[in-house]
Amino acid sequence: MSDEKKTKLTKKDRRHAAVRYNFMACNIFNYESQMGPAVAWALAPALRKIYPNDDEYQMALENHFNYYNSTTVMSSLILGASLAMEERDGIGAKDAVQSLKTSLMGPLAGVGDTLVWVLWPTIMGSISGYMALQGNPLGAIVWFIANIIFWFVKLKMFDVGFTSGTKLITSLGERLNIFTESASIVGLSVVGALVATVVKISMPVVFQFGKVKLNLQTGVFDKIMPALLPALLTLLIYHLLGNKKWTPTRIILLVIAISLIGTFFGIFKA
Amino acid sequence: MSGINLIQDILIVILAAYMTIDQNGLVIMSWFPVIVGTITGIIMGDMTTALTIAGTFQLMMLGVAALGGASAPNYGLATIVGIFVAVRTGTGIKSAIAVGLPVGLLAIQLEVVARIIVNFLAHRMQTDVKNHDFKKMQHEAWWGPALFSLQTGLPAILIVFFGPDVVKFILHVVPSWVTDGLTVAGGMLPVVGVGMLLRYMPVKKFLSYIIVGFVLAAYLKVGVLGVALIGFAAAYWYFISESKKVKEAAITTNVPSDDEGDDYDE
C-alpha cells in the first residue's frame, strides 16, 4: 500500500540522523533497553519521512525502542544500513531490521570496544599522561583534536552503512573475528608494557644484619627482575577480578587499604 | 578577587555537568583526565598544578573502560574536583588525590541512580509513541542528558561550596601517613584498570604478547608507542596469515566463484 509514494531520504536527512545519534548515544542509557531510546529518538525525523502513516510510524519507532547496545562508531554503520532497508522496503522490513541490529551489535561491539575504548585511550592516555606529568599539555591537545576528527568519521560511517548497506557488513563477516584478534594482539602488548611502567609499587624496607644493610627493593626484588612487584600485583588483581564478589570498586578499596596499612608501618614510601 | 572565584566556581560546575553528556555522546573530551584536566587548568589559571594532577589520574585510569554499559570509577570527575581543591587551597597533589579519589568512587553510585531514573523516562517515551504524541516523545528525550549531567554536576556543586574549607580542615586533622598512603595507592591503582583489561581480552590465547610487551618495557625501556608498533607488526602478520587460512578453507569447500575475496588482501 505504500507503493504509491516512496519517499527517498536526502543526504541531509541521513546526516541529520547521524548527528542526532552521535550526540544522544548513551544519554538516554538505561538498564532495560540500554541505547534503544536514543536510537528511536535519533532516527525519528528520518522515519517520519519514510512513514507518513501514523500507525506505521508508531510500529517502526516501537521496533527501535527495543534493547540495543553497541559501540557508537559501529552503531553508525548498523543504523545507516537499517535506515536504508526501511527506506527501500518500508514497514515490511521491520523484522529484518530488528534481526540485522541484534545479530550485528554484539560482534561489531567486540571490534569497536577493543579499538575505541581499549586501544585508543590506553595508548593516547599513557603518552599524554606522562607528558602532562612533565607539565606538557601537547598530548592532551592532540588527543582532543583527534577526537573531533573521529566524530566526523562516525558521521561518515553512517553514510557508508546507508549506501553499501548489509552487503559490506556481511562480507566483513568471518574476517571480523580475525580483525578483533589482531587488535587484541596490539592491545595486549601495550598492556604488558603498562604493567612494567605504570603500575608503581616498591618496598624500600632496609634490613640490618650486623653491619650489613639490605634494601628489600634494590637489593632483592630488583635483582630478581625489573618490575617484579607490579607483575605479581597484576597477577593477584587479575585472579581477584575472576571472582564475582570482587568488583572493581572493592578491589580499589582493597588497594587503598593495603597502601594505608603499608605506609603506616613504613613498608611503602610515598 | 571573589568575583573571579565565583566565575571559576560556575565554570567548574558547568564543566563537570557537561563532561558526562560528552562522555555519553560526542566523546570529544569525554572523561579522559588529561583533556578534562587541561580545561580545568585553564579555568583555574594554574596549568602546572593542573597537569600534574591530570597526568596522575590519567595513569590511574588507564585500562578503566565502561564496557558494555558497566560502571567504573569516575577519574574525570576526580580530576576536576581534585584540581579545583588543590589550586583553591594551594595544597597541591596530595589533597587532589585525597578528595578526588573518594568523589570519583562515589560517582559510580550516582550513575547507577541516574540510569534507573532514566528507565522511567524510556517508558514515558514509549507511552508517548503509543499515544501518537510523537512531538512530545522528541521533547521528553532531552531529560536524558539533563539527568545524566547531574551525575557529575551535583558532586561538583557540593565540592565547590564546601570543598576548600573541608579540605583545609581534613589536612589539618589527618596524620601525614594517610595522605602519603593515598599517594602510594595512586601509584598502585593503575593495576585495577590493567586487570580489567586483561579480563576483557583473550589473555590465554595471546599470553605471549603480554610477555613481549612487558620485557620490551621493563628490560629494554621501550616507550608505549614503540611497544604498540611492535604489537602492530605482530598483529599485521597475524591478520594476513589468518585471512589466508580462511580463504584457503573457502577455496577447498567451493572451488568456483571466489573472485570477490581477492580485493581484501592488498
Side-chain angles (χ1 to χ4, degrees), chain A residues 20 22-32 37 41 44 48 54-55 57-58 61-62 65 69 110 113-114 117-118 121-123 125-130 132-133 135-137 140 143-144 147-148 151 154 171 174-175 178-179 181-182 184-201 225-227 233-234 237-239 241-242 248-249 251-253 255-256 259-260 263-264 268-270, chain B residues 20-21 24-28 30 32 34-35 38 51-52 55-56 58-59 62 65 67-69 73 75 101 105 108 112 115-116 118-119 121-123 125-126 129-130 132 134 137-138 141-142 144-145 148 177-178 180-185 187-192 194-203 205-206 209-210 213-214 217-219 224-225 227-228 231-232 234-235 238-239 242-243 246-247 261 264-265:
Chain A
R20 283 168 73 95
N22 282 299
F23 169 78
M24 206 48 109
C26 287
N27 270 319
I28 323 181
F29 190 97
N30 65 90
Y31 288 114
E32 196 182 315
W41 180 84
R48 178 84 268 193
D54 272 2
D55 290 322
Y57 185 45
Q58 179 199 338
L61 278 176
E62 278 174 348
F65 263 106
N69 194 11
D113 283 349
T114 308
W117 285 113
V118 176
T122 310
I123 294 174
S126 55
I127 294 171
S128 62
Y130 279 116
L133 282 182
N136 186 347
W143 195 359
F144 181 77
N147 282 344
I148 295 175
W151 192 76
K154 290 187 207 166
S171 74
E174 54 212 354
R175 276 154 207 272
I178 304 171
F179 191 71
E181 287 190 333
S182 306
S184 304
I185 289 177
V186 188
L188 286 172
S189 15
V190 170
V191 171
L194 290 185
V195 173
T197 51
V198 182
V199 180
K200 292 208 169 56
I201 168 172
M225 143 179 158
L233 184 67
T234 309
I237 301 299
Y238 174 75
H239 279 285
L241 280 167
T249 312
I251 292 178
I252 289 173
L253 293 175
V255 171
I256 293 175
S259 309
L260 287 175
T263 312
F264 181 76
F268 304 126
K269 288 225 167 62
Chain B
T20 305
I21 299 178
N24 282 343
L26 300 179
V27 197
I28 285 171
S30 190
F32 301 126
V34 286
I35 302 179
T38 305
L51 285 175
T52 317
T56 307
Q58 181 65 57
L59 296 182
L62 289 182
L67 296 170
Y75 288 110
L101 213 48
L105 285 172
I108 300 176
V112 173
R115 286 175 173 180
I116 290 171
V118 169
N119 217 8
L121 174 66
H123 281 288
M125 286 169 69
Q126 274 170 290
V129 169
K130 204 158 272 160
H132 290 196
F134 301 119
M137 182 276 282
Q138 299 242 27
W142 290 99
F148 277 118
W177 63 266
V178 173
D180 283 351
L182 285 173
T183 311
V184 169
M188 271 194 236
L189 278 178
V191 78
V192 181
V194 169
M196 285 164 75
L197 272 190
L198 290 176
R199 277 283 156 203
Y200 175 74
M201 290 165 100
V203 169
K205 189 164 183 184
F206 296 123
Y209 296 100
I210 304 179
F214 181 84
Y219 288 89
V224 176
L225 197 59
V227 174
F232 182 77
Y238 181 85
F239 185 76
E242 287 296 303
S243 302
V246 170
K247 211 160 107 186
Y264 290 102
D265 276 14

Side-chain angles (χ1 to χ4, degrees), chain B residues 38-180:
Chain B
T38 305
I39 300 170
T40 316
I42 295 170
I43 295 174
M44 297 307 293
D46 183 349
M47 221 38 175
T48 321
T49 312
L51 285 175
T52 317
I53 295 167
T56 307
F57 279 120
Q58 181 65 57
L59 296 182
M60 243 185 252
M61 185 193 175
L62 289 182
V64 171
L67 296 170
S71 289
N74 199 325
Y75 288 110
L77 182 64
T79 307
I80 296 177
V81 300
I83 293 172
F84 172 79
V85 163
V87 174
R88 187 57 65 80
T89 59
T91 44
I93 183 125
K94 277 186 182 171
S95 63
I97 295 178
V99 177
L101 213 48
V103 172
L105 285 172
L106 289 173
I108 300 176
Q109 313 304 326
L110 286 177
E111 181 178 74
V112 173
V113 173
R115 286 175 173 180
I116 290 171
I117 298 173
V118 169
N119 217 8
F120 293 104
L121 174 66
H123 281 288
R124 276 193 70 137
M125 286 169 69
Q126 274 170 290
T127 316
D128 292 339
V129 169
K130 204 158 272 160
N131 300 335
H132 290 196
D133 276 336
F134 301 119
K135 276 270 164 337
K136 199 171 154 209
M137 182 276 282
Q138 299 242 27
H139 293 311
E140 276 178 353
W142 290 99
W143 283 103
L147 277 164
F148 277 118
S149 73
L150 292 179
Q151 173 194 323
T152 39
L154 276 184
I157 290 173
L158 290 178
I159 291 291
V160 161
F161 265 108
F162 306 109
D165 293 331
V166 173
V167 167
K168 275 182 201 153
F169 175 74
I170 289 175
L171 289 180
H172 199 69
V173 183
V174 161
S176 70
W177 63 266
V178 173
T179 45
D180 283 351

Side-chain angles (χ1 to χ4, degrees), chain A residues 129-263:
Chain A
Y130 279 116
M131 284 173 101
L133 282 182
Q134 289 158 3
N136 186 347
L138 190 68
I141 294 167
V142 169
W143 195 359
F144 181 77
I145 293 169
N147 282 344
I148 295 175
I149 297 168
F150 197 53
W151 192 76
F152 286 99
V153 172
K154 290 187 207 166
L155 299 189
K156 183 76 198 153
M157 291 290 267
F158 196 95
D159 270 343
V160 171
F162 189 88
T163 43
S164 37
T166 51
K167 216 176 12 175
L168 169 88
I169 305 175
T170 40
S171 74
L172 282 174
E174 54 212 354
R175 276 154 207 272
L176 204 60
N177 199 17
I178 304 171
F179 191 71
T180 314
E181 287 190 333
S182 306
S184 304
I185 289 177
V186 188
L188 286 172
S189 15
V190 170
V191 171
L194 290 185
V195 173
T197 51
V198 182
V199 180
K200 292 208 169 56
I201 168 172
S202 73
M203 296 189 181
V205 188
V206 179
F207 292 102
Q208 193 147 8
F209 308 100
K211 279 184 181 154
V212 187
K213 273 187 189 170
L214 181 66
N215 185 315
L216 189 61
Q217 183 62 40
T218 53
V220 181
F221 294 148
D222 289 350
K223 288 273 155 61
I224 300 173
M225 143 179 158
L228 173 69
L229 290 180
L232 291 176
L233 184 67
T234 309
L235 214 59
L236 171 75
I237 301 299
Y238 174 75
H239 279 285
L240 283 183
L241 280 167
N243 186 332
K244 279 251 157 59
K245 272 158 81 183
W246 283 99
T247 61
T249 312
R250 276 195 193 168
I251 292 178
I252 289 173
L253 293 175
L254 174 77
V255 171
I256 293 175
I258 293 173
S259 309
L260 287 175
I261 295 165
T263 312

